[in-house]
Amino acid sequence: LFICIDHVGLAVPDLDEAIKFHAEVFGWRELHREINEEQGVAEAMLGTGEQGEENAKIQLLAPLRDDSAIGKFLGKSGPGIQQLAYRVRDIDEASRVLRERGMRLLFPEPKRGTAGSRINFVHPKDARGVLLELVEPATDAAH
Ligand code: CMX
């Protein structure tokens, strides 16, 4: 069902400060940065090397609004791990299988994620306390 862990997402109050911290202390490199208005986030993908299949990644997520998913998470839990993202080849098929297995997905249809990917989430209550993101990366043609 899943190919690999795509990334781990960290909620942060200030994106620039967080990128600097993770670069200077842990040596992560910024691979990509964007604003996703629909999700209410300013986000950056950080990697351990050149972007590629083998590269470990973390995603820094800063809220654009207090009532966004990240804004609420920071208000309730403070900075920290907000999500674990699994990469899938076909998000429609993965969603179908997971729904069949009793998991609630947060959105009826996948939404747009980082770099043109398609994303959805398994409800944290169903995934035993973890907000699980499903990521189908964009094909080159979709970039
Ligand atoms: N991880 C684990 N558990 C979580 C959680 C998280 N990130 N967020 C909420 N929960 C738990 C809460 O602790 C709560 O549990 P209790 O009822 O025991 O207190 C329960 O889930 C419901 O939480 P809530 O506060 O009532 O619900 P919220 O309004 O905060 O919404 C969620 C939670 C998951 C539905 C919302 O964050 C959401 O829609 N997330 C998906 C979208 C998203 O995260 N976008 C930002 C990232 C975009 C990207 O990755 O590109």
Side-chain angles (χ1 to χ4, degrees), residues 63-132:
L64 296 178
R65 306 178 284 275
D66 284 348
D67 66 351
S68 63
I70 300 300
K72 285 200 233 168
F73 182 89
L74 284 172
K76 201 171 166 185
S77 312
I81 295 181
Q82 187 257 350
Q83 57 170 257
L84 171 63
Y86 290 165
R87 188 179 305 170
V88 298
R89 210 161 266 123
D90 178 347
I91 196 168
D92 300 308
E93 176 63 7
S95 304
R96 187 188 67 72
V97 170
L98 289 172
R99 284 192 176 108
E100 213 172 73
R101 294 177 186 172
M103 297 292 105
R104 282 170 296 168
L105 271 67
L106 293 182
F107 306 127
E109 295 294 332
K111 291 191 181 285
R112 186 190 180 285
T114 307
S117 57
R118 298 172 72 218
I119 61 171
N120 207 336
F121 296 83
V122 179
H123 196 285
K125 286 295 174 196
D126 291 351
R128 314 282 170 100
V130 178
L131 175 60
L132 207 58

Side-chain angles (χ1 to χ4, degrees), residues 35-42 61-66 68-71:
I35 302 258
N36 186 329
E37 285 287 350
E38 186 182 29
Q39 294 297 321
V41 289
L61 298 156
L64 296 178
R65 306 178 284 275
D66 284 348
S68 63
I70 300 300

